[in-house]
């Protein structure tokens, strides 16, 4: 096998026109074109998609699991951020 | 030669090319350098087997003697196969397989594109479907040829040798006989002379991108047989290929899943 591994790419597939791309998994590839080929051969064998994106995994900036409490927990008790928190006043018809 | 005879011979030849190169790719399964290439190769092999099945079924119907796809694949002897010598050559290393795929598919794709417009509806439908598959195969293999040719000194040298090894078998693609003439004339099929020129232009452009020299055409003057597949005169490797491919049906006639 290879002494040096090919870089990892993340694969995103749009399953139908109008929907957004969703993360499907990852592939190893030596360059961008090869990554696209490998994504096609690995993840769209059963008509899973109409469009593919690949991006070098090391180019993705991700949140740190250690930051979860600071990043996401504060949103837990902010119910006023949900539209359902607000009562629609009587007389407002077009909302 | 009747209409059915010529068309049947032609369809059978297409099926033989597809089956034999598909079988060669199947031999590579579990031997690819990376998992993703493994999937690609197996996908490609199965595309070919699928094409062979459609072509053999149609050949059987044209023949009208009740033979089906399995009869053509498993119950014929080597001299009854009409594939090109190129596709039966042993796999060698990864670069060999890529070069063979590029040289053969550069021809096969042009042939299929012409056949997709041919006068025989059934053959045109099979060809139109195969065009989509082979377009992708060729794209994949071409990129690899560029990577290897324009890669390291070693990859360049090895793939250059592969090219010199397989080059001599390409002339057979364009060495048509009366069946090819008939398909062109009566069926609006490929003009092999025009195909030869387009093939050469396409392959030369690709080799230039891959920084590979175009092999000397006179190379094949010194080599052993490099044509004859269409007449059933195969290379020594072919017997081993079909022995392995046909073993099960020969040992257990009519065996089924």
């Amino acid at each position: 096998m290879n002494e040096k591994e090919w870089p990892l790419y993340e694969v995103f597939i749009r399953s139908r026109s109008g929907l957004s791309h969703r993360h499907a998994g990852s592939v190893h590839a030596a360059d961008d074109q090869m990554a696209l080929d490998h994504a096609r051969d690995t993840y769209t064998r059963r008509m899973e998609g109409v469009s593919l994106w690949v991006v070098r995994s090391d180019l993705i900036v991700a949140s740190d699991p250690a930051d979860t409490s600071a990043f996401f927990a504060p949103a837990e008790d902010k119910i006023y951020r949900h539209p359902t928190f607000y009562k629609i006043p009587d007389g407002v018809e077009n909302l | 030669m009747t209409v059915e005879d010529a068309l049947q011979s032609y369809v059978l030849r297409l099926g033989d090319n597809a089956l034999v190169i598909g079988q060669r790719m199947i031999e590579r399964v579990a031997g690819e350098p990376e998992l993703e290439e493994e999937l690609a190769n197996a996908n490609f092999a199965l595309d070919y087997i699928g094409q062979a099945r459609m072509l053999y079924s149609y050949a059987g119907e044209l023949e009208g003697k009740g033979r089906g796809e399995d009869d053509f694949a498993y119950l014929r002897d080597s001299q009854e196969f009409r594939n090109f010598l190129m596709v039966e050559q042993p796999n060698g290393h990864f670069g060999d397989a890529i070069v063979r795929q590029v040289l053969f598919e550069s021809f096969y794709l042009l042939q299929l594109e012409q056949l997709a417009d041919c006068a025989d509806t059934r053959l045109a439908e099979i060809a139109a479907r195969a065009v989509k598959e082979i377009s992708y195969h060729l794209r994949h293999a071409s990129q690899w040829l560029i990577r290897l040719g324009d890669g390291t000194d070693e990859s360049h040298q090895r793939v250059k040798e592969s090219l010199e090894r397989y080059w001599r078998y390409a002339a057979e693609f364009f060495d048509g006989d009366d069946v090819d003439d008939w398909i062109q004339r009566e069926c609006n099929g490929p003009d092999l002379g025009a195909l030869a020129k387009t093939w050469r232009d396409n392959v030369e452009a690709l080799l230039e991108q891959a920084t590979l020299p175009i092999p000397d055409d006179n190379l094949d003057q010194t080599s052993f047989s490099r044509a004859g597949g269409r007449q059933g005169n195969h290379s020594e490797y072919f017997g081993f290929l079909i022995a392995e491919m046909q073993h099960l049906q020969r040992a257990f006639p009519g065996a089924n899943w």
Side-chain angles (χ1 to χ4, degrees):
Chain A
M1 292 303 281
N2 286 352
E3 291 162 16
K4 226 173 88 182
E5 283 237 314
W6 284 341
L8 197 65
Y9 283 77
E10 299 301 322
V11 179
F12 300 84
I13 303 175
R14 173 152 69 195
S15 54
R16 272 186 293 132
S17 299
L19 297 181
S20 53
H21 286 74
R22 296 188 68 149
H23 187 234
S26 52
V27 291
H28 285 101
D31 57 47
D32 296 353
Q33 278 304 316
M34 195 196 290
L36 207 52
D37 281 16
H38 283 168
R40 182 261 192 196
D41 293 325
T42 309
Y43 290 108
T44 66
R45 301 170 70 236
R46 302 179 189 88
M47 299 192 57
E48 285 92 339
V50 295
S51 167
L52 272 175
W53 286 349
V54 289
V55 60
R56 280 276 294 259
S57 307
D58 58 10
L59 294 177
I60 291 180
V61 184
S63 62
D64 186 340
D67 292 336
T68 305
S69 61
F71 258 63
F72 307 111
E76 273 172 15
D77 55 1
K78 309 286 194 295
I79 53 168
Y80 51 82
R81 289 182 181 168
H82 294 270
T84 47
F85 177 76
Y86 298 94
K87 288 201 181 64
I88 300 171
D90 295 339
V92 176
E93 284 171 10
N94 301 315
L95 193 75
Chain B
M1 185 163 46
T2 68
V3 174
E4 285 77 15
D5 281 350
L7 191 57
Q8 198 260 356
S9 302
Y10 193 80
V11 170
L12 203 51
R13 288 174 185 183
L14 288 171
D16 288 347
N17 280 333
L19 181 69
V20 172
I21 196 165
Q23 177 70 15
R24 279 296 186 213
M25 292 170 122
I26 285 166
E27 290 172 8
R28 297 185 59 84
V29 165
E32 294 293 324
E34 290 283 337
L35 179 63
E36 289 87 349
E37 282 304 318
E38 184 62 49
L39 277 166
N41 174 66
N43 286 348
F44 295 165
L46 287 173
D47 285 347
Y48 273 118
I49 303 304
Q51 290 170 21
R53 292 186 61 183
M54 288 189 287
L55 291 160
Y56 282 158
S57 296
Y58 186 33
E61 288 169 37
L62 288 166
E63 187 185 53
K65 290 180 188 163
R67 285 207 283 181
E69 48 189 85
D70 283 358
D71 298 291
F72 288 118
Y74 296 129
L75 300 176
R76 285 183 303 155
D77 289 328
S78 72
Q79 67 272 18
E80 294 173 83
F81 279 82
R82 292 288 184 269
N83 54 280
F84 294 129
L85 296 184
M86 167 101 66
V87 298
E88 73 193 39
Q89 295 308 303
N91 282 331
H93 56 68
F94 183 76
D96 287 333
I98 291 297
V99 165
R100 180 180 56 198
Q101 208 182 326
V102 165
L103 295 181
F104 172 66
E105 290 180 342
S106 297
F107 164 76
Y108 187 41
L109 182 60
L110 293 174
Q111 184 185 31
L112 289 171
E113 282 170 350
Q114 295 288 312
L115 289 173
D117 292 326
C118 82
D120 185 75
T121 322
R122 179 83 172 271
L123 180 56
E125 282 168 4
I126 296 173
R129 190 186 140 154
V131 162
K132 295 179 196 160
E133 294 171 345
I134 303 302
S135 302
Y136 181 76
H137 294 197
L138 182 57
R139 172 198 139 103
H140 184 91
S142 300
Q143 284 175 8
W144 265 113
L145 188 67
I146 294 168
R147 266 182 219 115
L148 295 172
D150 196 12
T152 64
D153 288 345
E154 189 188 349
S155 73
H156 177 90
Q157 185 57 31
R158 292 185 74 171
V159 82
K160 180 171 165 281
E161 286 164 13
S162 306
L163 194 58
E164 285 162 2
R165 196 170 309 140
Y166 286 107
W167 190 254
R168 63 180 68 121
Y169 297 104
E172 191 186 11
F173 301 159
F174 309 106
D175 182 19
D177 61 6
D178 49 352
V179 171
D180 294 288
D181 292 344
W182 186 91
I183 288 289
Q184 185 190 345
R185 199 177 57 242
E186 304 294 329
C187 219
N188 189 31
D191 170 357
L192 288 178
L195 242 58
K197 197 186 168 306
T198 316
W199 180 86
R200 182 97 192 183
D201 291 347
N202 293 351
V203 169
E204 283 185 7
L206 180 63
L207 292 182
E208 194 182 348
Q209 244 188 307
T211 71
L212 288 164
I214 296 151
D216 183 357
D217 282 316
N218 294 322
L219 265 182
D220 52 9
Q221 301 298 328
T222 57
S223 75
F224 58 94
S225 162
R226 66 261 173 211
R230 253 205 208 89
Q231 291 78 44
N233 301 323
H234 294 281
S235 50
E236 61 180 295
Y237 312 108
F238 190 57
F240 296 99
L241 181 146
I242 66 164
E244 185 175 41
M245 184 174 76
Q246 298 183 336
H247 165 74
L248 197 84
Q249 279 299 322
R250 299 286 195 186
F252 304 97
N256 222 322
W257 286 105

